Amino acid sequence: MTRCDQTTAWKKLGEHFNAQGKSFDARIAFALDAERVSTLSQTAPHIFADLSKNRIDAATEALLMQLARECGLEAQRDAMLTGEAINSTEGRAVLHTLLRQKLHIAGVGSAQSAINSGVNADKLQDVHSVLSAMLTYAETIRADDEITDVVNIGIGGSDLGPAMATIALDEFVTPKKRFHFVSNIDGHELAATLKTLKAKNTLFLIASKTFTTIETMTNAQSAKAWFTAQGGTDTARHFAALTTNVKAANEFGITTTFGFWDWVGGRYSLWSAIGLPLAIAIGADNFRQFLNGAAEMDAHFATAPLEKNLPVRLGLLDVWYRNFHGFTSRCVAPYHSALRRFPAYLQQLEMESNGKRVDKGGQALPFHTSPVVWGEPGTNGQHAFFQMLHQGTEVIPLEFIAVKRAAHSMLDHHTKLLANAIAQSQAFLQGKVSEDGHRHFPGNRPSSFFVLDELTPASLGALIALYEHRVFVSGAIWGINSFDQFGVELGKVLAKDVEARLHSGNVLSVDASTAALITKLK
Ligand code: F6P
């Protein structure tokens, strides 16, 4: 594997940027090339992507593809899919794709299935036995009218995925139950949730890969104390744990457990037992559809030629923007309110994965990695931060996600919504010339436009898998380990020390600012 900056393509991309990329104007490119939309569009399972309003053309993409090949992207991808220990700092395989693999291989996607399940047949059997058990359990809970409230207690990957997907698939969620997601150690969150609950009607799902995370353990202890104080006794019925650390869950007093494995990263765990709240919400059949949609995207990623491979094209576009144009952030604007937590989900997926400053060998990188990823649903964002995107001093590429068919019957709303999405992408491209600087829109502001026909379990699964693979692609080009997260450790350790100091008031040998804050907040 060659790191991107040591390739010939990297040098050529730098020259190409100086010669053409820097001054590239997509409006001129459209005028010169009648085929631009078809060349720069890509259909992938459940998703159509129009990339034509970006600052790329065939020459740029050709160099990016050369970069991918020189970095051994295909070999790196196959190493992930076949279960090599590509998470080198932790010596682990990265096999979230196995979680959505069918047990019996047939039809579309079989090439990737064969790569994956051939080598990992035992793991795949384990995946399916937990999946069957958890889906049977999900159906039992769905049929249990006495359980009216399901509370997921977890944080990061043990919260963002299931919370985002349960909101996104609201149309498929049983109306017979309410779903709550408690993540923060801030007691206001748990207290506000508990206020609305009765112990005999509540199921707590304690979701934690490690079963050691301080937020989750603190919330779980308080939930258990509340349950007991309410007269609850049957923990086997009212608590279940979703974890790789079944022993710790048992020691905590939970006997109903659904396991997963260290080769599933936290931010990639929605497809495992961590998906149980979603499975209860949408039911076993829909959950399987959700897995199938992701598996279709996996097959596309594994088998489509690089030039026609959507996650590859997007990951390379990210590298082009981050390292050559120097764009520092990317805005994701879903034009569907059910996708309102999608940007938050992507923040962990992308920034925890690729927010790294050293390569796989531990060498400091001489180039930038993850951009800041952020966003809000349209049209709300239009009336908040779009001003900066249209007329601010920084160029921030945008990603529109539109869904063709609405799940409601107010078609007038939906037409207006879609019109706004299209019009905004048009405005970012075209701009508007005015003598008056205040009223001048420079235009040529890049955006991608994704279209889903409908927001269903399958299309959501494909959409999430698309982003997972795209993040993999940029991480592979940068030569970093996208699957560890040591950056979150230091703050955790220091918090323990500060917690003790908040009890004791001892501020000896801490910096002056920290000492002052401890004294103020004690
Ligand atoms: O923030 C670090 C992290 O380890 C994430 O990667 C993970 O998703 C989250 O904490 C929660 O971890 P766990 O599922 O082990 O409680």
Side-chain angles (χ1 to χ4, degrees):
M1 189 197 100
T2 310
R3 203 176 75 189
C4 54
D5 58 322
Q6 286 147 14
T7 62
T8 313
W10 191 260
K11 193 163 166 282
K12 282 197 200 160
L13 278 161
E15 289 160 6
H16 176 69
F17 178 74
N18 287 329
Q20 294 165 38
K22 215 182 329 191
S23 55
F24 186 89
D25 191 322
R27 293 166 292 199
I28 297 172
F30 274 109
L32 294 177
D33 179 6
E35 299 301 308
R36 185 170 168 82
V37 175
S38 69
T39 317
L40 290 171
S41 295
Q42 179 68 58
T43 302
H46 299 278
I47 294 160
F48 166 81
D50 175 2
L51 308 182
S52 65
K53 291 190 178 93
N54 284 293
R55 294 189 184 179
I56 44 169
D57 59 13
T60 317
E61 273 211 314
L63 286 173
L64 289 168
M65 293 300 157
Q66 185 188 330
L67 176 68
R69 293 201 163 90
E70 283 190 64
C71 292
L73 177 64
E74 285 154 303
Q76 292 197 59
R77 173 196 63 196
D78 295 346
M80 173 174 75
L81 296 176
T82 51
E84 282 180 38
I86 63 163
N87 175 354
S88 49
T89 52
E90 297 177 304
R92 290 176 182 169
V94 173
L95 272 172
H96 47 277
T97 50
L98 201 68
L99 299 169
R100 50 237 192 180
Q101 203 74 81
K102 284 201 172 119
L103 196 50
H104 303 294
I105 303 155
V108 183
S110 61
Q112 191 253 343
S113 300
I115 297 177
N116 210 337
S117 55
V119 186
N120 296 293
D122 293 347
K123 289 193 178 83
L124 189 61
Q125 288 288 350
D126 291 347
V127 164
H128 279 270
S129 46
V130 176
L131 180 62
S132 298
M134 88 181 228
L135 293 184
T136 303
Y137 178 77
E139 287 301 327
T140 309
I141 298 297
R142 279 166 70 82
D144 185 339
D145 287 340
E146 213 194 347
I147 300 293
T148 56
D149 290 84
V150 178
V151 183
N152 189 79
I153 293 181
I155 196 165
S158 300
D159 164 70
L160 287 162
M164 174 275 289
T166 303
I167 295 168
L169 296 176
D170 185 52
E171 280 302 311
F172 299 81
V173 172
T174 172
K176 289 184 174 173
K177 300 192 195 303
R178 296 184 302 169
F179 293 85
H180 313 265
F181 291 86
V182 175
S183 54
N184 205 319
I185 202 163
D186 180 348
H188 294 103
E189 196 173 60
L190 181 63
T193 305
L194 292 177
K195 254 198 281 193
T196 67
L197 304 176
K198 289 201 179 80
K200 72 176 173 51
N201 304 121
T202 302
L203 170 65
F204 289 101
L205 301 174
I206 312 301
S208 175
K209 178 177 171 181
T210 55
F211 226 79
T212 56
T213 305
I214 188 87
E215 290 90 340
T216 303
M217 293 302 103
T218 306
N219 280 324
Q221 288 290 4
S222 298
K224 202 169 141 196
W226 171 88
F227 178 74
T228 312
Q230 298 281 310
T233 48
D234 193 352
T235 40
R237 173 166 162 72
H238 292 277
F239 282 80
L242 324 174
T243 184
T244 59
N245 191 353
V246 171
K247 188 168 168 276
N250 292 156
E251 282 162 13
F252 182 89
I254 300 180
T255 49
T256 310
T257 59
F258 298 93
F260 58 110
W261 307 271
D262 70 358
W263 40 264
V264 181
R267 52 195 174 275
Y268 299 87
S269 63
L270 169 58
W271 323 96
S272 72
I274 293 294
L276 182 59
L278 177 65
I280 298 172
I282 64 175
D285 289 348
N286 281 323
F287 192 81
R288 284 193 190 275
Q289 288 305 315
F290 176 64
L291 298 180
N292 291 346
E296 286 179 68
M297 188 59 75
D298 296 342
H300 169 78
F301 179 51
T303 60
L306 298 188
E307 284 75 6
K308 293 281 161 207
N309 194 312
L310 186 54
V312 171
R313 294 179 88 175
L314 291 173
L316 292 172
L317 178 63
D318 293 338
V319 170
W320 176 238
Y321 280 164
R322 187 75 187 100
N323 301 116
F324 296 92
H325 281 278
F327 299 153
T328 55
S329 85
R330 201 176 79 244
C331 176
V332 179
Y335 276 67
H336 196 305
S337 68
L339 289 172
R340 61 188 171 276
R341 291 294 287 161
F342 194 57
Y345 169 80
L346 292 182
Q347 286 181 327
Q348 186 197 17
L349 177 65
E350 194 148 347
M351 292 160 76
E352 195 166 80
S353 296
N354 284 349
K356 307 290 163 65
R357 53 173 289 283
V358 296
D359 66 16
K360 278 195 160 191
Q363 297 300 312
L365 295 170
F367 51 81
H368 288 298
T369 55
S370 179
V372 175
V373 179
W374 59 287
E376 279 287 324
T379 59
N380 293 5
Q382 292 175 205
H383 298 275
F385 51 78
F386 270 39
Q387 164 63 37
M388 176 195 170
L389 302 184
H390 281 294
Q391 289 188 312
T393 50
E394 257 195 81
V395 173
I396 298 177
L398 244 112
E399 234 150 64
F400 294 91
I401 305 175
V403 179
K404 186 171 177 181
R405 280 192 284 284
H408 57 75
S409 55
M410 297 175 286
L411 286 186
D412 175 47
H413 285 245
H414 203 58
T415 308
K416 285 179 173 143
L417 176 73
L418 296 182
N420 269 277
I422 298 169
Q424 285 294 330
S425 81
Q426 194 183 19
F428 282 114
L429 172 75
Q430 288 180 353
K432 183 171 165 263
V433 177
S434 170
E435 299 280 297
D436 174 358
H438 300 286
R439 291 175 171 80
H440 179 76
F441 290 64
N444 193 33
R445 302 237 153 166
S447 69
S448 303
F449 202 108
F450 301 158
V451 179
L452 276 60
D453 276 347
E454 283 178 284
L455 189 56
T456 61
S459 69
L460 181 69
L463 182 70
I464 299 170
L466 170 66
Y467 277 85
E468 286 179 347
H469 296 321
R470 165 206 200 144
V471 168
F472 174 86
V473 169
S474 52
I477 299 294
W478 287 324
I480 58 179
N481 181 358
S482 300
F483 299 100
D484 62 12
Q485 57 284 319
F486 294 112
V488 299
E489 295 305 323
L490 178 61
K492 286 187 195 173
V493 174
L494 293 181
K496 283 199 176 138
D497 175 64
V498 173
E499 186 185 342
R501 290 176 187 277
L502 278 173
H503 285 299
S504 67
N506 174 4
V507 291
L508 281 177
S509 60
V510 287
D511 66 85
S513 165
T514 305
L517 291 172
I518 289 170
T519 306
K520 195 162 181 62
L521 285 171
K522 183 173 161 16

